[in-house]
Amino acid sequence: MYGAIIGDIVGSRFEFDQGSKSREFEFFTRENDFTDDTVMSIAVAEALLDAGKDADEKTVKECLIKSMKKWGKKYPHAGYGARFIHWVLSDDPKPYGSYGNGSGMRVSPAGWLYDSIERTREVARWTAEVTHNHPEGVKGAESVAAAMFMARTRASKEEIKAYLEKEFGYDLSRTLDEIRPTYKHVEDCMRTMPEAFTCFLEANSYEECIRNVMYIGGDTDTLGAIAGAVAEAMWGVPESFVKQAKLYLPEEIIKVVDRFLMEIISVI
Ligand SMILES: [Mg+2]
């Protein structure tokens, strides 16, 4: 789980096109912080644990709504979009057709928990559908979780790339050097997912993947959370990064991560 959280923390000081699009930078500084990507990943983690591994759609979605509202209210200034805040505060929260990259940034717990790619994709879809029920929003969540499942079950980067192109229709033919010159801060899945996956595909370690994110710029904390989650499933995260990331996190967030890691210890 720290793969997504560290990507969020490291990317937080470069989002909204604030960076110089370089691979050379400090991972952890005084200007970094966790943002909505971390808070909602924690919310999804807690919801999926509360629901249980074999829960049905209704149970999973009820747990998701409860947990996302709870954590959203705890950290209301973490950087959500206006429609999401409205959803968090609503007494009768309904999906609002979003294709924002929020569905991809929060889904990573689903990538760890389940024993088949079909179940992984099913639960990932549900994590999107409570808010992001636009087909592109759903694809954003399913594709990240599927890539994570493949990475942790020892598929190669080539196999993951081929699967993402075939199953989700993403164009992964552009290199980071082709993406970088014109890439800007955008918050939809269509212009986030292929870029995040390419940051992973052009890396050979977790650290390289996160450096690739800052190299192309854009919505760097969300790209970091997405690409970082897949990279962690492939290579793991250096312990020194985890130690530093924890210094930014409130105790109640670390507790959920610890609970989550205890649950998945058998699968990693
Ligand atoms: Mg954010």
Side-chain angles (χ1 to χ4, degrees):
M1 267 213 77
Y2 280 110
I5 293 171
I6 293 166
D8 175 38
I9 293 173
V10 174
S12 63
R13 70 187 171 106
F14 300 119
E15 72 170 330
F16 304 115
D17 305 314
Q18 295 179 91
S20 54
K21 295 200 178 196
S22 167
R23 288 192 173 97
E24 303 305 316
F25 61 90
E26 291 270 337
F27 264 43
F28 299 99
T29 74
R30 281 162 181 264
E31 288 128 61
N32 293 79
D33 207 348
F34 70 91
T35 79
D36 51 346
D37 308 67
T38 292
V39 177
M40 280 304 121
S41 298
I42 290 296
V44 169
E46 186 172 84
L48 299 185
L49 293 177
D50 287 349
K53 257 181 139 176
D54 304 317
D56 62 12
E57 177 174 356
K58 185 166 176 286
T59 308
V60 171
K61 285 187 173 174
E62 279 170 5
C63 289
L64 282 164
I65 291 168
K66 185 169 159 234
S67 179
M68 286 165 62
K69 284 170 67 73
K70 173 184 127 181
W71 287 94
K73 283 179 192 164
K74 270 180 191 277
Y75 297 94
H77 305 298
Y80 315 100
R83 286 195 297 170
F84 185 75
I85 281 288
H86 182 79
W87 183 92
V88 163
L89 299 175
S90 165
D91 291 331
D92 183 26
K94 291 269 184 287
Y96 47 89
S98 176
Y99 48 80
N101 55 22
S103 62
M105 75 170 178
R106 71 185 183 219
V107 72
S108 62
W112 288 110
L113 278 175
Y114 307 103
D115 299 331
S116 72
I117 198 161
E118 292 77 20
R119 175 67 174 167
T120 301
R121 286 183 58 169
E122 175 178 65
V123 178
R125 184 164 69 242
W126 297 340
T127 72
E129 281 174 349
V130 291
T131 53
H132 290 51
N133 56 337
H134 186 284
E136 290 292 343
V138 172
K139 253 169 66 175
E142 268 193 63
S143 59
V144 177
M148 289 178 66
F149 179 87
M150 292 181 77
R152 73 176 172 82
T153 53
R154 305 193 184 267
S156 67
K157 285 193 293 182
E158 291 68 31
E159 287 166 331
I160 295 171
K161 183 181 181 200
Y163 185 88
L164 293 170
E165 288 177 325
K166 180 172 154 278
E167 290 288 316
F168 302 103
Y170 288 134
D171 175 9
L172 301 178
S173 66
R174 291 190 310 155
T175 64
L176 293 178
D177 281 322
E178 287 166 347
I179 292 167
R180 182 173 179 265
T182 55
Y183 195 54
K184 289 222 175 331
H185 185 102
V186 283
E187 297 184 349
D188 55 67
C189 280
M190 297 80 97
R191 292 176 293 174
T192 299
M193 311 315 299
E195 289 76 5
F197 290 132
T198 306
C199 289
F200 158 72
L201 292 167
E202 286 195 27
N204 287 298
S205 69
Y206 179 81
E207 179 172 346
E208 265 184 48
C209 174
I210 298 300
R211 291 195 183 279
N212 283 346
V213 167
M214 308 315 146
Y215 180 66
I216 61 165
D219 190 358
T220 45
D221 55 345
T222 294
L223 286 168
I226 295 168
V230 184
E232 180 186 26
M234 190 81 167
W235 299 294
V237 173
E239 201 44 48
S240 61
F241 290 175
V242 173
K243 252 191 189 161
Q244 293 189 79
K246 279 181 162 175
L247 301 174
Y248 295 88
L249 299 173
E251 195 53 44
E252 62 181 358
I253 286 187
I254 294 175
K255 263 195 185 157
V256 176
V257 181
D258 286 346
R259 183 184 160 205
F260 189 80
L261 294 178
M262 286 303 288
E263 178 73 25
I264 62 167
I265 214 144
S266 57
V267 297
I268 51 176

